[in-house]
Amino acid sequence: MPRQLSHRGLQAFRVMMLTGSVSATAATMNLSQPAVSRLLKELELDTGLRLFDRTKGRLVPTAEAGLLLDEVQRSFVGLDRISSAVAEIRKGRRGTLSMSSLPILASSLLPKMVGEFLRRAPGVAVRLDSAGSQTVTQQVMTGQYDIGFISISVPLANLQTVRRYSLPCRCILPPGHRLAGREVLGPADLEGESLVSASRRTLMDTQVQALLDRHGVSPAMPVETPLLPLASLLVLEGAGVAIVDAITAAHHERLGGISRRFEPLVRLELGMVRRLDAPVTRAEALFMEICDGQMARYVDQETDALTV
């Protein structure tokens, strides 16, 4: 009958995989190198897996070790969160709200939302991160963060979309641009312009490209970036014009740039996601209310913010 896996052995395995050496693992865990080697050998016996090839005195992880690490990481993330919660309780705080977001919100509205949240929920700690939609999805699925803001074109699994925000897109220009005098811009206006492309991999940019193709417009694309806030900065520096969401366009104007309505309408769909099996906390419910209020001025008024 297999023995129960040792937590200490799994910890040694995790540190070994992350640091890449027995000596670094020993130093991290305050153990001797022979003790670390013994823990790893015992874990191999307990699991029945060959986790390391021993070559010239070095431990080289096998493919099985890589697969096991994925599961171990998820388990230790949960333990890390429990440890963080214990530390917060000791400090007298009333919980933690953690979230990860696309750069669109992280670099614009999210700090304002958090500021309002902290004023209305003193004593609750907040933890923030920013990444692309795929990474944010994984972070929320594995329990690293309570809430995630993503493009809802990303496939979801074991997550619920608790809010959906449809953001109309606008054309942003540098100061003094020849199109600044127009209130509404369309595909034909982009003929001959250099277009800063958000990214050919995003649904929004796919819509923009399809629209340009349909109207027979072929602007030059000198720069491509997946980061819409960076597209705004590039436009301000004269790299071209860009089609971005309403939030990025508003931030672009605050930086001294120009934005104009773009028709036919292109939308960016943002979603607030959380795990299906996690109950909604008071902190999360309050933050959703704050988020709805802040997003109201930017969402497409035909669809508004939808509670799913």
PDB file of all heavy atoms in Angstrom, residues 12-52:
ATOM      1  N   ALA A  12      10.414  20.100  -0.628  1.00  0.00           N
ATOM      2  CA  ALA A  12      11.772  19.998  -1.171  1.00  0.00           C
ATOM      3  C   ALA A  12      11.740  19.874  -2.689  1.00  0.00           C
ATOM      4  O   ALA A  12      12.548  20.484  -3.404  1.00  0.00           O
ATOM      5  CB  ALA A  12      12.490  18.803  -0.550  1.00  0.00           C
ATOM      6  N   PHE A  13      10.795  19.071  -3.201  1.00  0.00           N
ATOM      7  CA  PHE A  13      10.645  18.914  -4.650  1.00  0.00           C
ATOM      8  C   PHE A  13      10.319  20.248  -5.306  1.00  0.00           C
ATOM      9  O   PHE A  13      10.913  20.624  -6.326  1.00  0.00           O
ATOM     10  CB  PHE A  13       9.542  17.891  -4.929  1.00  0.00           C
ATOM     11  CG  PHE A  13       9.093  17.856  -6.356  1.00  0.00           C
ATOM     12  CD1 PHE A  13       9.882  17.269  -7.339  1.00  0.00           C
ATOM     13  CD2 PHE A  13       7.882  18.418  -6.734  1.00  0.00           C
ATOM     14  CE1 PHE A  13       9.472  17.246  -8.671  1.00  0.00           C
ATOM     15  CE2 PHE A  13       7.465  18.397  -8.047  1.00  0.00           C
ATOM     16  CZ  PHE A  13       8.264  17.805  -9.022  1.00  0.00           C
ATOM     17  N   ARG A  14       9.375  20.987  -4.732  1.00  0.00           N
ATOM     18  CA  ARG A  14       8.970  22.273  -5.307  1.00  0.00           C
ATOM     19  C   ARG A  14      10.145  23.256  -5.342  1.00  0.00           C
ATOM     20  O   ARG A  14      10.405  23.899  -6.367  1.00  0.00           O
ATOM     21  CB  ARG A  14       7.826  22.861  -4.480  1.00  0.00           C
ATOM     22  CG  ARG A  14       7.332  24.219  -4.977  1.00  0.00           C
ATOM     23  CD  ARG A  14       6.296  24.770  -4.027  1.00  0.00           C
ATOM     24  NE  ARG A  14       5.714  26.017  -4.513  1.00  0.00           N
ATOM     25  CZ  ARG A  14       5.563  27.101  -3.778  1.00  0.00           C
ATOM     26  NH1 ARG A  14       5.990  27.128  -2.523  1.00  0.00           N
ATOM     27  NH2 ARG A  14       5.005  28.186  -4.283  1.00  0.00           N
ATOM     28  N   VAL A  15      10.872  23.372  -4.236  1.00  0.00           N
ATOM     29  CA  VAL A  15      11.995  24.303  -4.180  1.00  0.00           C
ATOM     30  C   VAL A  15      13.090  23.869  -5.144  1.00  0.00           C
ATOM     31  O   VAL A  15      13.703  24.695  -5.835  1.00  0.00           O
ATOM     32  CB  VAL A  15      12.538  24.423  -2.742  1.00  0.00           C
ATOM     33  CG1 VAL A  15      13.769  25.332  -2.704  1.00  0.00           C
ATOM     34  CG2 VAL A  15      11.467  24.956  -1.797  1.00  0.00           C
ATOM     35  N   MET A  16      13.321  22.564  -5.216  1.00  0.00           N
ATOM     36  CA  MET A  16      14.339  22.034  -6.140  1.00  0.00           C
ATOM     37  C   MET A  16      13.978  22.381  -7.584  1.00  0.00           C
ATOM     38  O   MET A  16      14.843  22.816  -8.372  1.00  0.00           O
ATOM     39  CB  MET A  16      14.433  20.515  -5.963  1.00  0.00           C
ATOM     40  CG  MET A  16      15.334  19.831  -6.973  1.00  0.00           C
ATOM     41  SD  MET A  16      17.072  20.280  -6.796  1.00  0.00           S
ATOM     42  CE  MET A  16      17.728  19.592  -8.314  1.00  0.00           C
ATOM     43  N   MET A  17      12.713  22.237  -7.942  1.00  0.00           N
ATOM     44  CA  MET A  17      12.277  22.539  -9.311  1.00  0.00           C
ATOM     45  C   MET A  17      12.377  24.028  -9.613  1.00  0.00           C
ATOM     46  O   MET A  17      12.673  24.420 -10.747  1.00  0.00           O
ATOM     47  CB  MET A  17      10.843  22.054  -9.516  1.00  0.00           C
ATOM     48  CG  MET A  17      10.700  20.537  -9.511  1.00  0.00           C
ATOM     49  SD  MET A  17      11.489  19.733 -10.934  1.00  0.00           S
ATOM     50  CE  MET A  17      10.334  20.186 -12.238  1.00  0.00           C
ATOM     51  N   LEU A  18      12.143  24.852  -8.618  1.00  0.00           N
ATOM     52  CA  LEU A  18      12.167  26.295  -8.833  1.00  0.00           C
ATOM     53  C   LEU A  18      13.585  26.869  -8.822  1.00  0.00           C
ATOM     54  O   LEU A  18      13.873  27.837  -9.525  1.00  0.00           O
ATOM     55  CB  LEU A  18      11.316  27.003  -7.773  1.00  0.00           C
ATOM     56  CG  LEU A  18       9.808  26.703  -7.819  1.00  0.00           C
ATOM     57  CD1 LEU A  18       9.097  27.391  -6.667  1.00  0.00           C
ATOM     58  CD2 LEU A  18       9.208  27.144  -9.145  1.00  0.00           C
ATOM     59  N   THR A  19      14.465  26.277  -8.007  1.00  0.00           N
ATOM     60  CA  THR A  19      15.833  26.804  -7.898  1.00  0.00           C
ATOM     61  C   THR A  19      16.808  26.091  -8.818  1.00  0.00           C
ATOM     62  O   THR A  19      17.803  26.679  -9.247  1.00  0.00           O
ATOM     63  CB  THR A  19      16.346  26.692  -6.458  1.00  0.00           C
ATOM     64  OG1 THR A  19      16.407  25.301  -6.077  1.00  0.00           O
ATOM     65  CG2 THR A  19      15.444  27.449  -5.500  1.00  0.00           C
ATOM     66  N   GLY A  20      16.547  24.813  -9.096  1.00  0.00           N
ATOM     67  CA  GLY A  20      17.388  24.076 -10.026  1.00  0.00           C
ATOM     68  C   GLY A  20      18.608  23.415  -9.423  1.00  0.00           C
ATOM     69  O   GLY A  20      19.407  22.834 -10.151  1.00  0.00           O
ATOM     70  N   SER A  21      18.768  23.484  -8.111  1.00  0.00           N
ATOM     71  CA  SER A  21      19.943  22.830  -7.514  1.00  0.00           C
ATOM     72  C   SER A  21      19.656  22.364  -6.096  1.00  0.00           C
ATOM     73  O   SER A  21      18.841  22.957  -5.380  1.00  0.00           O
ATOM     74  CB  SER A  21      21.139  23.779  -7.508  1.00  0.00           C
ATOM     75  OG  SER A  21      21.013  24.759  -6.497  1.00  0.00           O
ATOM     76  N   VAL A  22      20.346  21.296  -5.708  1.00  0.00           N
ATOM     77  CA  VAL A  22      20.197  20.751  -4.360  1.00  0.00           C
ATOM     78  C   VAL A  22      20.754  21.731  -3.326  1.00  0.00           C
ATOM     79  O   VAL A  22      20.172  21.920  -2.257  1.00  0.00           O
ATOM     80  CB  VAL A  22      20.916  19.386  -4.253  1.00  0.00           C
ATOM     81  CG1 VAL A  22      20.932  18.899  -2.802  1.00  0.00           C
ATOM     82  CG2 VAL A  22      20.239  18.358  -5.144  1.00  0.00           C
ATOM     83  N   SER A  23      21.861  22.389  -3.661  1.00  0.00           N
ATOM     84  CA  SER A  23      22.469  23.315  -2.695  1.00  0.00           C
ATOM     85  C   SER A  23      21.544  24.490  -2.418  1.00  0.00           C
ATOM     86  O   SER A  23      21.390  24.909  -1.255  1.00  0.00           O
ATOM     87  CB  SER A  23      23.816  23.813  -3.228  1.00  0.00           C
ATOM     88  OG  SER A  23      23.658  24.480  -4.473  1.00  0.00           O
ATOM     89  N   ALA A  24      20.917  25.044  -3.452  1.00  0.00           N
ATOM     90  CA  ALA A  24      19.996  26.163  -3.246  1.00  0.00           C
ATOM     91  C   ALA A  24      18.771  25.713  -2.455  1.00  0.00           C
ATOM     92  O   ALA A  24      18.248  26.449  -1.606  1.00  0.00           O
ATOM     93  CB  ALA A  24      19.568  26.755  -4.588  1.00  0.00           C
ATOM     94  N   THR A  25      18.311  24.494  -2.728  1.00  0.00           N
ATOM     95  CA  THR A  25      17.170  23.953  -1.988  1.00  0.00           C
ATOM     96  C   THR A  25      17.522  23.795  -0.520  1.00  0.00           C
ATOM     97  O   THR A  25      16.730  24.147   0.370  1.00  0.00           O
ATOM     98  CB  THR A  25      16.744  22.603  -2.578  1.00  0.00           C
ATOM     99  OG1 THR A  25      16.407  22.781  -3.957  1.00  0.00           O
ATOM    100  CG2 THR A  25      15.547  22.033  -1.845  1.00  0.00           C
ATOM    101  N   ALA A  26      18.715  23.275  -0.258  1.00  0.00           N
ATOM    102  CA  ALA A  26      19.162  23.088   1.124  1.00  0.00           C
ATOM    103  C   ALA A  26      19.235  24.424   1.856  1.00  0.00           C
ATOM    104  O   ALA A  26      18.809  24.539   3.006  1.00  0.00           O
ATOM    105  CB  ALA A  26      20.516  22.383   1.140  1.00  0.00           C
ATOM    106  N   ALA A  27      19.788  25.432   1.193  1.00  0.00           N
ATOM    107  CA  ALA A  27      19.901  26.752   1.820  1.00  0.00           C
ATOM    108  C   ALA A  27      18.526  27.351   2.092  1.00  0.00           C
ATOM    109  O   ALA A  27      18.281  27.942   3.149  1.00  0.00           O
ATOM    110  CB  ALA A  27      20.714  27.681   0.916  1.00  0.00           C
ATOM    111  N   THR A  28      17.597  27.191   1.131  1.00  0.00           N
ATOM    112  CA  THR A  28      16.247  27.746   1.295  1.00  0.00           C
ATOM    113  C   THR A  28      15.507  27.085   2.442  1.00  0.00           C
ATOM    114  O   THR A  28      14.811  27.753   3.214  1.00  0.00           O
ATOM    115  CB  THR A  28      15.446  27.568  -0.011  1.00  0.00           C
ATOM    116  OG1 THR A  28      16.122  28.233  -1.074  1.00  0.00           O
ATOM    117  CG2 THR A  28      14.045  28.132   0.125  1.00  0.00           C
ATOM    118  N   MET A  29      15.656  25.771   2.572  1.00  0.00           N
ATOM    119  CA  MET A  29      14.918  25.027   3.588  1.00  0.00           C
ATOM    120  C   MET A  29      15.687  24.861   4.888  1.00  0.00           C
ATOM    121  O   MET A  29      15.193  24.238   5.832  1.00  0.00           O
ATOM    122  CB  MET A  29      14.538  23.652   3.033  1.00  0.00           C
ATOM    123  CG  MET A  29      13.631  23.698   1.816  1.00  0.00           C
ATOM    124  SD  MET A  29      13.134  22.054   1.221  1.00  0.00           S
ATOM    125  CE  MET A  29      12.179  21.437   2.630  1.00  0.00           C
ATOM    126  N   ASN A  30      16.917  25.410   4.933  1.00  0.00           N
ATOM    127  CA  ASN A  30      17.763  25.296   6.125  1.00  0.00           C
ATOM    128  C   ASN A  30      18.027  23.827   6.481  1.00  0.00           C
ATOM    129  O   ASN A  30      17.902  23.403   7.629  1.00  0.00           O
ATOM    130  CB  ASN A  30      17.117  26.022   7.312  1.00  0.00           C
ATOM    131  CG  ASN A  30      18.115  26.276   8.443  1.00  0.00           C
ATOM    132  OD1 ASN A  30      19.330  26.368   8.202  1.00  0.00           O
ATOM    133  ND2 ASN A  30      17.616  26.370   9.654  1.00  0.00           N
ATOM    134  N   LEU A  31      18.390  23.049   5.446  1.00  0.00           N
ATOM    135  CA  LEU A  31      18.712  21.636   5.613  1.00  0.00           C
ATOM    136  C   LEU A  31      20.091  21.356   5.026  1.00  0.00           C
ATOM    137  O   LEU A  31      20.638  22.184   4.287  1.00  0.00           O
ATOM    138  CB  LEU A  31      17.684  20.761   4.881  1.00  0.00           C
ATOM    139  CG  LEU A  31      16.240  20.787   5.383  1.00  0.00           C
ATOM    140  CD1 LEU A  31      15.350  20.003   4.426  1.00  0.00           C
ATOM    141  CD2 LEU A  31      16.136  20.209   6.787  1.00  0.00           C
ATOM    142  N   SER A  32      20.606  20.190   5.307  1.00  0.00           N
ATOM    143  CA  SER A  32      21.853  19.772   4.662  1.00  0.00           C
ATOM    144  C   SER A  32      21.518  19.219   3.281  1.00  0.00           C
ATOM    145  O   SER A  32      20.388  18.800   3.016  1.00  0.00           O
ATOM    146  CB  SER A  32      22.556  18.702   5.492  1.00  0.00           C
ATOM    147  OG  SER A  32      21.788  17.513   5.511  1.00  0.00           O
ATOM    148  N   GLN A  33      22.504  19.210   2.386  1.00  0.00           N
ATOM    149  CA  GLN A  33      22.275  18.675   1.053  1.00  0.00           C
ATOM    150  C   GLN A  33      21.915  17.183   1.080  1.00  0.00           C
ATOM    151  O   GLN A  33      21.015  16.764   0.357  1.00  0.00           O
ATOM    152  CB  GLN A  33      23.504  18.919   0.171  1.00  0.00           C
ATOM    153  CG  GLN A  33      23.729  20.393  -0.140  1.00  0.00           C
ATOM    154  CD  GLN A  33      24.828  20.619  -1.160  1.00  0.00           C
ATOM    155  OE1 GLN A  33      24.969  19.879  -2.117  1.00  0.00           O
ATOM    156  NE2 GLN A  33      25.615  21.678  -0.947  1.00  0.00           N
ATOM    157  N   PRO A  34      22.570  16.371   1.930  1.00  0.00           N
ATOM    158  CA  PRO A  34      22.153  14.958   2.007  1.00  0.00           C
ATOM    159  C   PRO A  34      20.700  14.805   2.461  1.00  0.00           C
ATOM    160  O   PRO A  34      19.995  13.910   1.991  1.00  0.00           O
ATOM    161  CB  PRO A  34      23.119  14.364   3.037  1.00  0.00           C
ATOM    162  CG  PRO A  34      24.332  15.230   2.938  1.00  0.00           C
ATOM    163  CD  PRO A  34      23.815  16.606   2.687  1.00  0.00           C
ATOM    164  N   ALA A  35      20.245  15.700   3.350  1.00  0.00           N
ATOM    165  CA  ALA A  35      18.857  15.619   3.817  1.00  0.00           C
ATOM    166  C   ALA A  35      17.888  15.920   2.675  1.00  0.00           C
ATOM    167  O   ALA A  35      16.845  15.262   2.537  1.00  0.00           O
ATOM    168  CB  ALA A  35      18.637  16.589   4.977  1.00  0.00           C
ATOM    169  N   VAL A  36      18.240  16.897   1.836  1.00  0.00           N
ATOM    170  CA  VAL A  36      17.392  17.220   0.683  1.00  0.00           C
ATOM    171  C   VAL A  36      17.364  16.050  -0.290  1.00  0.00           C
ATOM    172  O   VAL A  36      16.295  15.655  -0.784  1.00  0.00           O
ATOM    173  CB  VAL A  36      17.891  18.498  -0.027  1.00  0.00           C
ATOM    174  CG1 VAL A  36      17.191  18.685  -1.361  1.00  0.00           C
ATOM    175  CG2 VAL A  36      17.692  19.707   0.860  1.00  0.00           C
ATOM    176  N   SER A  37      18.521  15.491  -0.575  1.00  0.00           N
ATOM    177  CA  SER A  37      18.585  14.344  -1.495  1.00  0.00           C
ATOM    178  C   SER A  37      17.751  13.185  -0.966  1.00  0.00           C
ATOM    179  O   SER A  37      17.066  12.506  -1.742  1.00  0.00           O
ATOM    180  CB  SER A  37      20.041  13.898  -1.671  1.00  0.00           C
ATOM    181  OG  SER A  37      20.808  14.919  -2.271  1.00  0.00           O
ATOM    182  N   ARG A  38      17.782  12.972   0.350  1.00  0.00           N
ATOM    183  CA  ARG A  38      16.998  11.878   0.945  1.00  0.00           C
ATOM    184  C   ARG A  38      15.496  12.142   0.788  1.00  0.00           C
ATOM    185  O   ARG A  38      14.728  11.237   0.457  1.00  0.00           O
ATOM    186  CB  ARG A  38      17.364  11.730   2.421  1.00  0.00           C
ATOM    187  CG  ARG A  38      16.670  10.542   3.091  1.00  0.00           C
ATOM    188  CD  ARG A  38      17.225  10.268   4.476  1.00  0.00           C
ATOM    189  NE  ARG A  38      17.007  11.411   5.377  1.00  0.00           N
ATOM    190  CZ  ARG A  38      17.975  12.255   5.772  1.00  0.00           C
ATOM    191  NH1 ARG A  38      19.225  12.079   5.347  1.00  0.00           N
ATOM    192  NH2 ARG A  38      17.708  13.246   6.594  1.00  0.00           N
ATOM    193  N   LEU A  39      15.074  13.380   1.024  1.00  0.00           N
ATOM    194  CA  LEU A  39      13.654  13.727   0.862  1.00  0.00           C
ATOM    195  C   LEU A  39      13.176  13.494  -0.573  1.00  0.00           C
ATOM    196  O   LEU A  39      12.079  12.982  -0.806  1.00  0.00           O
ATOM    197  CB  LEU A  39      13.422  15.192   1.257  1.00  0.00           C
ATOM    198  CG  LEU A  39      13.446  15.520   2.749  1.00  0.00           C
ATOM    199  CD1 LEU A  39      13.422  17.034   2.959  1.00  0.00           C
ATOM    200  CD2 LEU A  39      12.260  14.878   3.461  1.00  0.00           C
ATOM    201  N   LEU A  40      14.009  13.869  -1.533  1.00  0.00           N
ATOM    202  CA  LEU A  40      13.638  13.701  -2.935  1.00  0.00           C
ATOM    203  C   LEU A  40      13.580  12.222  -3.316  1.00  0.00           C
ATOM    204  O   LEU A  40      12.678  11.802  -4.062  1.00  0.00           O
ATOM    205  CB  LEU A  40      14.625  14.451  -3.839  1.00  0.00           C
ATOM    206  CG  LEU A  40      14.651  15.978  -3.679  1.00  0.00           C
ATOM    207  CD1 LEU A  40      15.745  16.590  -4.543  1.00  0.00           C
ATOM    208  CD2 LEU A  40      13.299  16.579  -4.049  1.00  0.00           C
ATOM    209  N   LYS A  41      14.519  11.445  -2.802  1.00  0.00           N
ATOM    210  CA  LYS A  41      14.525  10.011  -3.095  1.00  0.00           C
ATOM    211  C   LYS A  41      13.307   9.335  -2.484  1.00  0.00           C
ATOM    212  O   LYS A  41      12.663   8.480  -3.115  1.00  0.00           O
ATOM    213  CB  LYS A  41      15.816   9.379  -2.547  1.00  0.00           C
ATOM    214  CG  LYS A  41      16.029   7.943  -3.000  1.00  0.00           C
ATOM    215  CD  LYS A  41      16.158   7.864  -4.506  1.00  0.00           C
ATOM    216  CE  LYS A  41      16.402   6.434  -4.973  1.00  0.00           C
ATOM    217  NZ  LYS A  41      16.463   6.326  -6.436  1.00  0.00           N
ATOM    218  N   GLU A  42      12.948   9.730  -1.265  1.00  0.00           N
ATOM    219  CA  GLU A  42      11.771   9.160  -0.609  1.00  0.00           C
ATOM    220  C   GLU A  42      10.496   9.519  -1.359  1.00  0.00           C
ATOM    221  O   GLU A  42       9.575   8.703  -1.467  1.00  0.00           O
ATOM    222  CB  GLU A  42      11.685   9.654   0.840  1.00  0.00           C
ATOM    223  CG  GLU A  42      12.745   9.053   1.750  1.00  0.00           C
ATOM    224  CD  GLU A  42      12.728   9.663   3.137  1.00  0.00           C
ATOM    225  OE1 GLU A  42      11.975  10.654   3.354  1.00  0.00           O
ATOM    226  OE2 GLU A  42      13.468   9.169   4.015  1.00  0.00           O
ATOM    227  N   LEU A  43      10.443  10.744  -1.915  1.00  0.00           N
ATOM    228  CA  LEU A  43       9.268  11.151  -2.678  1.00  0.00           C
ATOM    229  C   LEU A  43       9.132  10.299  -3.942  1.00  0.00           C
ATOM    230  O   LEU A  43       8.017   9.913  -4.327  1.00  0.00           O
ATOM    231  CB  LEU A  43       9.369  12.635  -3.052  1.00  0.00           C
ATOM    232  CG  LEU A  43       8.175  13.209  -3.828  1.00  0.00           C
ATOM    233  CD1 LEU A  43       6.907  13.149  -2.981  1.00  0.00           C
ATOM    234  CD2 LEU A  43       8.454  14.654  -4.258  1.00  0.00           C
ATOM    235  N   GLU A  44      10.254   9.994  -4.582  1.00  0.00           N
ATOM    236  CA  GLU A  44      10.212   9.131  -5.767  1.00  0.00           C
ATOM    237  C   GLU A  44       9.689   7.740  -5.393  1.00  0.00           C
ATOM    238  O   GLU A  44       8.886   7.150  -6.120  1.00  0.00           O
ATOM    239  CB  GLU A  44      11.594   9.023  -6.395  1.00  0.00           C
ATOM    240  CG  GLU A  44      12.047  10.291  -7.118  1.00  0.00           C
ATOM    241  CD  GLU A  44      13.391  10.121  -7.799  1.00  0.00           C
ATOM    242  OE1 GLU A  44      14.327   9.608  -7.146  1.00  0.00           O
ATOM    243  OE2 GLU A  44      13.505  10.505  -8.973  1.00  0.00           O
ATOM    244  N   LEU A  45      10.125   7.223  -4.239  1.00  0.00           N
ATOM    245  CA  LEU A  45       9.665   5.903  -3.796  1.00  0.00           C
ATOM    246  C   LEU A  45       8.177   5.941  -3.467  1.00  0.00           C
ATOM    247  O   LEU A  45       7.430   5.018  -3.815  1.00  0.00           O
ATOM    248  CB  LEU A  45      10.474   5.450  -2.572  1.00  0.00           C
ATOM    249  CG  LEU A  45      11.961   5.152  -2.816  1.00  0.00           C
ATOM    250  CD1 LEU A  45      12.678   4.893  -1.493  1.00  0.00           C
ATOM    251  CD2 LEU A  45      12.105   3.937  -3.750  1.00  0.00           C
ATOM    252  N   ASP A  46       7.736   7.010  -2.795  1.00  0.00           N
ATOM    253  CA  ASP A  46       6.329   7.120  -2.385  1.00  0.00           C
ATOM    254  C   ASP A  46       5.401   7.279  -3.584  1.00  0.00           C
ATOM    255  O   ASP A  46       4.271   6.783  -3.581  1.00  0.00           O
ATOM    256  CB  ASP A  46       6.138   8.303  -1.431  1.00  0.00           C
ATOM    257  CG  ASP A  46       6.838   8.084  -0.094  1.00  0.00           C
ATOM    258  OD1 ASP A  46       7.167   6.930   0.218  1.00  0.00           O
ATOM    259  OD2 ASP A  46       7.051   9.082   0.628  1.00  0.00           O
ATOM    260  N   THR A  47       5.862   7.994  -4.615  1.00  0.00           N
ATOM    261  CA  THR A  47       5.012   8.239  -5.783  1.00  0.00           C
ATOM    262  C   THR A  47       5.140   7.159  -6.844  1.00  0.00           C
ATOM    263  O   THR A  47       4.263   7.001  -7.693  1.00  0.00           O
ATOM    264  CB  THR A  47       5.355   9.597  -6.435  1.00  0.00           C
ATOM    265  OG1 THR A  47       6.737   9.583  -6.837  1.00  0.00           O
ATOM    266  CG2 THR A  47       5.102  10.747  -5.473  1.00  0.00           C
ATOM    267  N   GLY A  48       6.257   6.445  -6.827  1.00  0.00           N
ATOM    268  CA  GLY A  48       6.516   5.473  -7.881  1.00  0.00           C
ATOM    269  C   GLY A  48       6.909   6.124  -9.191  1.00  0.00           C
ATOM    270  O   GLY A  48       6.831   5.506 -10.254  1.00  0.00           O
ATOM    271  N   LEU A  49       7.344   7.389  -9.123  1.00  0.00           N
ATOM    272  CA  LEU A  49       7.739   8.134 -10.309  1.00  0.00           C
ATOM    273  C   LEU A  49       9.242   8.396 -10.307  1.00  0.00           C
ATOM    274  O   LEU A  49       9.841   8.590  -9.240  1.00  0.00           O
ATOM    275  CB  LEU A  49       7.014   9.488 -10.359  1.00  0.00           C
ATOM    276  CG  LEU A  49       5.488   9.462 -10.371  1.00  0.00           C
ATOM    277  CD1 LEU A  49       4.945  10.892 -10.281  1.00  0.00           C
ATOM    278  CD2 LEU A  49       4.961   8.766 -11.613  1.00  0.00           C
ATOM    279  N   ARG A  50       9.844   8.362 -11.505  1.00  0.00           N
ATOM    280  CA  ARG A  50      11.237   8.786 -11.610  1.00  0.00           C
ATOM    281  C   ARG A  50      11.215  10.284 -11.896  1.00  0.00           C
ATOM    282  O   ARG A  50      10.930  10.731 -12.992  1.00  0.00           O
ATOM    283  CB  ARG A  50      11.961   8.041 -12.730  1.00  0.00           C
ATOM    284  CG  ARG A  50      13.491   8.212 -12.655  1.00  0.00           C
ATOM    285  CD  ARG A  50      14.221   7.483 -13.762  1.00  0.00           C
ATOM    286  NE  ARG A  50      14.383   8.314 -14.941  1.00  0.00           N
ATOM    287  CZ  ARG A  50      13.647   8.196 -16.050  1.00  0.00           C
ATOM    288  NH1 ARG A  50      12.688   7.300 -16.129  1.00  0.00           N
ATOM    289  NH2 ARG A  50      13.851   8.988 -17.095  1.00  0.00           N
ATOM    290  N   LEU A  51      11.513  11.083 -10.876  1.00  0.00           N
ATOM    291  CA  LEU A  51      11.385  12.529 -10.978  1.00  0.00           C
ATOM    292  C   LEU A  51      12.662  13.199 -11.461  1.00  0.00           C
ATOM    293  O   LEU A  51      12.607  14.291 -12.027  1.00  0.00           O
ATOM    294  CB  LEU A  51      10.982  13.106  -9.613  1.00  0.00           C
ATOM    295  CG  LEU A  51       9.647  12.590  -9.063  1.00  0.00           C
ATOM    296  CD1 LEU A  51       9.411  13.127  -7.652  1.00  0.00           C
ATOM    297  CD2 LEU A  51       8.501  12.987  -9.987  1.00  0.00           C
ATOM    298  N   PHE A  52      13.795  12.541 -11.230  1.00  0.00           N
ATOM    299  CA  PHE A  52      15.078  13.139 -11.612  1.00  0.00           C
ATOM    300  C   PHE A  52      15.997  12.090 -12.210  1.00  0.00           C
ATOM    301  O   PHE A  52      16.037  10.942 -11.758  1.00  0.00           O
ATOM    302  CB  PHE A  52      15.778  13.767 -10.391  1.00  0.00           C
ATOM    303  CG  PHE A  52      15.003  14.878  -9.741  1.00  0.00           C
ATOM    304  CD1 PHE A  52      14.203  14.614  -8.636  1.00  0.00           C
ATOM    305  CD2 PHE A  52      15.051  16.179 -10.234  1.00  0.00           C
ATOM    306  CE1 PHE A  52      13.478  15.620  -8.035  1.00  0.00           C
ATOM    307  CE2 PHE A  52      14.326  17.192  -9.635  1.00  0.00           C
ATOM    308  CZ  PHE A  52      13.535  16.914  -8.534  1.00  0.00           C
TER     309      PHE A  52
END
